[in-house]
Amino acid sequence: MQEVTPSFEVLPTGKPHVSFSEVKLWKECSYRHNLIHIKKIDLSKPSPVLDFGTAVHASCEHYLLTREMKPEIAFEHMEKAWAKHAGNPDFSPAALEKSKKEVEAILSEVPKFLDETFEEWEVVDAEHQLYEAVENHPHAFKGFIDGVIKAKGKRGETIYWILDHKTTARGWFREKRSDDMVKAQLALYKNYWCQKNPQVDMKNVRCGFVLLKKAAKPGDHCELFSVSLGEVPIKRSLKVVSNMLTSVKRGISLKNRDACTWCEFKGTEHCT
């Protein structure tokens, strides 16, 4: 029997789906979400930090799929980004060379880190796409899992790991490590990946952020921040998605004044 592809309704954003980044933005300030995703007002500026992360992800994805680490993949991404933003002082030649050295330092430690952290690991997929129906809503959740691997557990069992790579300066402080919305990303990924793979027992699925640190000492550029995600945090994360969809469809957008400090709309005609 041919599998039936579900039909999803378009949201006021113009899309039939939501991603974790969009849900997180809505949770932080639904008014800012409205400006960006519904009114389509873009005041964002180019950031070498974002391009750095994209570049590192590209080389890591290639390594997971091939077991061949190629920093030149990241370098090519960065060179294109720097060429695109030539003249922007944030994208200076000196900044490019510094970033390349940081990329090389991180990537040189990734293979050993994976081998030492995950016993007899094998790749299941890299940049694994999710496009799954949200329960009780005619919409989809869209996401890309950086890495899904399987490894040998302490008792010899097969453990699946859902991994998300995060580039960072020196790592994460306690506040970020304890943030439920940070953990919600992996909670949602675990929920929807397990729905796609019902043959895998959810109890054998673990989740973690791989922190890739630029300003670390040699041998400390990679760290696994493992996150325990059982039924309760998964249900809580799904509830946030459901509330967000309901709110967006009803046209509700409220300002969160506690989130104004770093907002690009602060003090502009769009948000006073």
Side-chain angles (χ1 to χ4, degrees), residues 209-223:
F209 293 103
V210 177
L211 306 183
L212 304 170
K213 298 176 277 188
K214 294 190 282 186
K217 295 179 181 179
D220 192 35
H221 285 284
C222 305
E223 176 190 353

Side-chain angles (χ1 to χ4, degrees), residues 253-270:
S253 60
L254 304 174
K255 295 181 182 179
N256 176 13
R257 295 295 183 182
D258 292 333
C260 290
T261 303
W262 306 109
C263 181
E264 67 272 33
F265 297 106
K266 181 181 179 181
T268 70
E269 62 182 309
H270 308 292

Side-chain angles (χ1 to χ4, degrees), residues 7-185:
S7 176
F8 299 114
E9 293 180 9
V10 175
L11 289 157
T13 60
K15 301 175 293 185
H17 59 261
V18 293
S19 65
F20 171 73
S21 61
E22 189 178 342
V23 173
K24 182 173 181 289
L25 172 61
W26 173 85
K27 180 69 173 176
E28 291 170 351
C29 180
S30 60
Y31 187 81
R32 182 170 176 242
H33 172 270
N34 180 276
L35 292 175
I36 294 174
H37 288 282
I38 297 177
K39 294 186 177 179
K40 308 298 183 183
I41 301 172
D42 184 6
L43 298 183
S44 62
K45 298 179 181 178
S47 169
V49 174
L50 296 178
D51 290 309
F52 182 97
T54 299
V56 171
H57 275 68
S59 282
C60 287
E61 177 187 351
H62 179 83
Y63 180 73
L64 286 177
L65 294 173
T66 66
R67 295 288 182 113
E68 180 185 20
M69 181 55 75
K70 298 185 70 173
E72 55 266 32
I73 293 176
F75 295 163
E76 183 179 353
H77 275 259
M78 296 170 71
E79 287 164 359
K80 287 181 179 178
W82 256 254
K84 180 180 179 180
H85 302 297
N88 185 323
D90 291 334
F91 290 83
S92 68
L96 176 59
E97 291 308 309
K98 180 176 182 291
S99 294
K100 282 185 175 182
K101 290 179 181 179
E102 292 169 337
V103 164
E104 195 163 26
I106 290 172
L107 296 179
S108 68
E109 295 183 12
V110 168
K112 183 180 179 181
F113 162 77
L114 289 172
D115 291 342
E116 291 182 347
T117 307
F118 307 104
E119 186 176 354
E120 298 179 15
W121 72 273
E122 299 176 22
V123 67
V124 176
D125 200 4
E127 202 65 11
H128 178 84
Q129 182 172 11
L130 299 171
Y131 203 87
E132 312 308 313
V134 178
E135 187 176 6
N136 299 322
H137 291 275
H139 310 293
F141 176 84
K142 180 180 180 179
F144 290 89
I145 303 175
D146 290 337
V148 182
I149 65 174
K150 60 181 180 179
K152 187 176 179 181
K154 292 181 179 179
R155 295 182 295 274
E157 75 279 25
T158 297
I159 299 295
Y160 289 82
W161 280 90
I162 292 175
L163 301 173
D164 188 79
H165 300 127
K166 298 293 188 186
T167 52
T168 174
R170 293 179 175 81
W172 285 358
F173 293 109
R174 182 181 301 177
E175 182 180 3
K176 189 160 188 175
R177 291 173 184 262
S178 60
D179 189 333
D180 286 340
M181 274 310 294
V182 171
K183 298 175 184 178
Q185 179 179 7

